[in-house]
């Protein structure tokens, strides 16, 4: 079974731009969660999508948004980028919502904002 | 909101030595997850603990959950270079926080 894939793996943007990151879950998984990891704040939950609906959302500003398609692939978008948005963005998929012991993580997308 | 504190933040041990990483919660733990992350990569699920006093082992890694102390420990026996990485504990958050994580413990194994 193919694992969780994220594209692109690396991205460099400038302040004020917007960015879209993509996550393809494991086949058959319907839940996709997104996380932001920074040296200062650690790993923080962004949001979770299940069956194309946002199930949960972390404490992030509205500049962070996401969506899920009918094939369970998910995208997250960050608008008006700030320097502090530089981070490793991880997505994770699981068969159902909240099944963390069956949650598989992708390799992440490293975003650098200049 | 629930917070998880890990100690130590970093650890350097000689190959073959035992080590312990702790994870302390600000609230009662109903489920605790341990993950391993190689630098700059995704997380690998190690173990889940749900019941007070529960202990699980996988190869040379043992995790315990002490509900009374709101703490979990991860113990590695006879460490190997393959154990190097960042270990994170995670727990079900309250409210909107689906899963909260500790800051992580960076483990280095010296040959």
């Amino acid at each position: 079974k193919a694992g969780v894939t994220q594209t692109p793996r690396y991205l460099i943007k400038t302040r004020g731009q917007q960015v879209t990151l993509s996550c393809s879950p494991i086949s058959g998984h319907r839940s996709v969660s997104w996380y932001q990891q920074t040296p200062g704040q650690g790993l923080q939950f962004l949001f979770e999508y299940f069956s194309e609906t946002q199930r949960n959302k972390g404490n992030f500003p509205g500049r962070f948004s996401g969506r899920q398609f009918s094939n369970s692939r998910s995208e997250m978008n960050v608008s008006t980028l700030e320097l502090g948005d530089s981070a490793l963005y991880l997505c994770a998929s699981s068969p159902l919502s909240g099944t963390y012991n069956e949650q598989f993580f992708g390799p992440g997308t490293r975003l650098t904002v200049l | 909101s629930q917070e998880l504190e890990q100690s130590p933040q970093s650890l350097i041990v000689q190959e073959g030595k035992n080590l312990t990483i702790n994870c302390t919660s600000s609230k009662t733990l109903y489920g605790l997850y341990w993950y391993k992350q190689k630098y700059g990569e995704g997380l690998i699920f190690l173990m889940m603990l749900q019941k007070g006093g529960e202990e699980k082992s996988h190869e040379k890694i043992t995790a315990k959950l002490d509900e009374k102390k709101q703490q979990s420990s991860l113990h590695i026996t006879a460490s190997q270079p393959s154990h190097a990485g960042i270990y994170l504990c995670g727990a079900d958050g309250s409210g909107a926080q689906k899963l909260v994580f500790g800051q992580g413990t960076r483990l280095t194994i010296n040959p």
Side-chain angles (χ1 to χ4, degrees), chain A residues 69-84:
Chain A
F69 302 95
S70 58
N71 61 357
S72 295
R73 188 177 70 87
S74 177
E75 289 181 346
M76 70 161 281
N77 183 278
V78 187
S79 62
T80 319
L81 285 166
E82 300 177 0
L83 295 178

Side-chain angles (χ1 to χ4, degrees), chain A residues 9 35 37 39-43 45 48 56-59 88 90 97-98 100-101 103 105-107 110, chain B residues 33 35 37 39-45 48 86 88 91-93 95-103:
Chain A
R9 290 293 311 276
Y35 299 86
Q37 187 175 34
Q41 299 298 317
L43 192 60
F45 170 77
E48 180 201 7
N56 296 281
K57 190 177 192 304
N59 297 325
L88 180 66
L90 296 166
S97 176
Y100 303 123
N101 58 319
Q103 191 174 63
F105 282 79
R110 184 165 294 282
Chain B
Y33 308 84
Y35 297 87
Q37 181 182 30
Y39 181 71
E41 297 182 7
L43 278 64
I44 298 171
F45 171 78
M48 174 180 70
I86 300 171
L88 296 106
D92 288 328
Q97 291 298 318
K98 193 67 173 170
L99 192 62
V100 295
F101 290 90
Q103 286 289 87

